[in-house]
Amino acid sequence: MNRNEQLFERAQRTIPGGVNSPVRAFRSVGGTPPFIARARGAHVWDADGRSYIDLVGSWGPMIVGHAHPAVVKAVQTAAADGLSFGAPTEAEVEFAERIVRLLPSIEQLRLVSSGTEAAMSAIRLARGATGRDRIIKFEGCYHGHADSLLVKAGSGALTFGHPSSAGVPADVIRHTMVLDYNDCQQLEDAFGRDGSQIAGVIVEPVAGNMNLVRGSAEFLRTLRELCTRHGALLVFDEVMSGFRVALGGAQELTGIEADIVVLGKVIGGGMPLAAFGARRDVMRHIAPLGPVYQAGTLSGNPVAVACGLATLELIERPGFYETLARRTSQLADGLMQAARARGVAFSADAVGSMFGIYFSERVPASYRDVMQCDRDRFNRFFHQMLARGVYLAPSAFEAGFVSSEHDEALIAQVVAAASDGFDGLA
Ligand code: PMP
């Protein structure tokens, strides 16, 4: 038994499944997850001392690479001044000002500690601000694990969904409607029927939790128009796409502005930090200004805020996103060429520094399309890549992430590994 295997066995005795978040357990791809001992730049090292080119980036936050010296220094400096106060700080004001400057749809924001908490609070805000209960979400989009958002589609369009987890009462999701992503007709029908009861619609404008699926321009435009017409609030969950697909997130790419924006991942630079923000007239409903309760002992934690600020400073450098997008396209194109050369049914897509790989001839546009990709092939490809020192997300339903530390040579190395990996599938 190697050290990873020993640790996994030991972990399973005291931690359910040996992990603190389920996808880490490699259940869908099989095998033993590497236990990560350290990380730097574009690489992670496991407990056996093996290094991998990391295309997971802690599921999105590590956009400037691991342990960036400027970020580590900011964290160390902040930590030396105290780990938590539960009182306001100047740094969190600076942080809020920076986000407001970068995202035109946000005039005020509240910091929290996870994307789950941010999305949950955004939904409460949408309900509290409109005085309505009903919300719409889309099949395949993930917004964290708040009860009312753990819903999967029912048997037909326009039916209410079923809990996607045990422990979520049907009563709690009674107000959550689940529609198909990129389906404008379903949206029109839902608003036509229940428009005056809908508090808000929550959507990943670039979906990254059913592999990578772009929200179409028509879909996002329709969403914007319907919400405005019916007085519902459009909630963009940019936990993944925010500061990832562009400096201004999906809103910059699509030109569509949300009423409430949910942020996480990149804004914390790897520390537990997330946020939700909106125009002032919406945020005034939040306590202590208004009646929508929301709070947190560690919210705006000074070490997390210092980490986030240092990261935001780095990503504002000129050309940062252009270079990242170029490298990510180079990766997607390289993978597609390698697969084509070997006759493997495969496609890839990139939006900014997010990418998707699909064992299917075409890029999916919906959850249903994603479900038709060849999962068994993905799982074998995943292990081919892992054996060649490339760490992909251990599931066919996750997007991948490129950091500014992934230079052209590393991308070429990944493509070369994939060429061999595709051969290994035959
Ligand atoms: N929203 C989106 C779009 C996400 O991708 C995630 C996490 N992958 C979340 C919300 C939940 O964030 P967290 O894991 O920080 O609770």
Side-chain angles (χ1 to χ4, degrees):
M1 237 199 250
N2 67 31
R3 182 130 179 82
N4 288 311
E5 288 161 348
Q6 285 167 16
L7 283 170
F8 195 37
E9 195 177 279
R10 181 173 145 209
Q12 289 176 72
R13 277 182 236 137
T14 49
I15 302 173
V19 293
N20 281 310
S21 198
V23 71
R24 297 179 195 170
F26 274 38
R27 286 284 169 103
S28 74
V29 292
T32 301
F35 277 59
I36 304 304
R38 65 193 175 89
R40 194 166 183 92
H43 289 88
V44 294
W45 282 262
D46 73 11
D48 285 309
R50 278 201 70 195
S51 80
Y52 305 85
I53 299 172
D54 178 22
L55 292 169
V56 180
S58 184
W59 305 91
M62 312 315 297
I63 197 166
V64 298
H66 293 284
H68 189 291
V71 177
V72 171
K73 183 155 179 283
V75 167
Q76 287 170 334
T77 304
D81 282 336
L83 298 178
S84 181
F85 319 122
T89 65
E90 184 172 345
E92 68 191 0
V93 181
E94 196 186 326
F95 186 89
E97 288 167 350
R98 194 176 276 259
I99 299 281
V100 166
R101 172 164 60 74
L102 293 172
L103 298 180
S105 57
I106 297 185
E107 288 178 343
Q108 288 198 327
L109 64 151
R110 176 60 59 81
L111 298 186
V112 296
S113 302
S114 73
T116 292
E117 204 185 341
M120 177 187 76
S121 304
I123 292 298
R124 187 178 305 140
L125 173 59
R127 286 172 163 161
T130 57
R132 304 172 180 178
D133 288 339
R134 204 161 282 192
I135 57 168
I136 292 178
K137 81 173 285 288
F138 298 94
E139 186 83 327
C141 287
Y142 176 69
H143 307 292
H145 60 92
D147 282 354
S148 72
L149 293 166
L150 285 180
V151 191
K152 60 184 178 218
S155 47
L158 298 188
T159 58
F160 284 86
H162 302 299
S164 58
S165 164
V168 175
D171 261 2
V172 172
I173 57 132
R174 187 154 65 83
H175 302 292
T176 309
M177 189 185 266
V178 185
L179 303 184
D180 286 335
Y181 196 70
N182 277 334
D183 189 325
C184 297
Q185 190 56 51
Q186 281 190 15
L187 266 178
E188 301 268 7
D189 293 349
F191 271 95
R193 203 180 62 172
D194 299 321
S196 64
Q197 298 171 55
I198 298 170
V201 182
I202 186 164
V203 64
E204 288 180 77
V206 177
N209 287 288
M210 46 173 158
N211 207 325
L212 172 69
V213 178
R214 295 168 185 250
S216 75
E218 191 200 356
F219 176 63
L220 296 175
R221 205 170 43 240
T222 303
L223 261 175
R224 180 63 277 173
E225 282 170 14
L226 286 170
C227 284
T228 303
R229 193 179 326 142
H230 293 272
L233 295 172
L234 178 55
V235 183
F236 270 9
D237 183 346
E238 294 226 51
V239 166
M240 202 180 267
S241 59
F243 301 100
R244 171 53 77 178
V245 298
L247 183 59
Q251 295 176 99
E252 177 187 322
L253 283 189
T254 62
I256 305 261
E257 281 195 7
D259 298 306
I260 303 178
V261 182
V262 186
L263 297 167
K265 299 196 192 266
V266 168
I267 67 164
M271 294 287 283
L273 185 64
F276 62 101
R279 294 183 309 273
R280 218 169 259 111
D281 66 292
V282 176
M283 292 304 279
R284 74 179 168 78
H285 293 278
I286 287 283
L289 296 180
V292 178
Y293 189 69
Q294 193 283 328
T297 300
L298 296 176
S299 291
N301 173 271
V303 184
V305 165
C307 185
L309 269 176
T311 302
L312 292 177
E313 211 151 280
L314 291 168
I315 65 183
E316 271 200 75
R317 286 175 308 185
F320 182 86
Y321 283 91
E322 287 78 0
T323 306
L324 261 181
R326 200 169 54 245
R327 301 248 169 87
T328 313
S329 296
Q330 186 191 337
L331 173 64
D333 294 345
L335 293 175
M336 272 196 293
Q337 278 163 23
R340 199 155 302 151
R342 284 153 187 86
V344 176
F346 178 89
S347 54
D349 196 13
V351 183
S353 55
M354 262 170 96
F355 67 91
I357 58 177
Y358 325 93
F359 283 87
S360 128
E361 289 291 353
R362 58 186 188 93
V363 171
S366 68
Y367 182 70
R368 202 175 307 122
D369 290 351
V370 171
M371 293 310 282
Q372 271 152 23
C373 296
D374 189 334
R375 273 160 79 179
D376 177 57
R377 275 208 151 174
F378 171 82
N379 291 349
R380 287 191 288 136
F381 180 70
F382 169 85
H383 282 291
Q384 292 282 340
M385 295 298 272
L386 196 66
R388 289 172 176 80
V390 179
Y391 186 66
L392 293 170
S395 157
F397 302 116
E398 304 289 347
F401 302 99
V402 170
S403 83
S404 52
E405 293 294 301
H406 292 78
D407 59 18
E408 284 194 19
L410 280 180
I411 298 286
Q413 217 174 304
V414 172
V415 172
S419 300
D420 294 344
F422 287 128
D423 278 336
L425 294 180

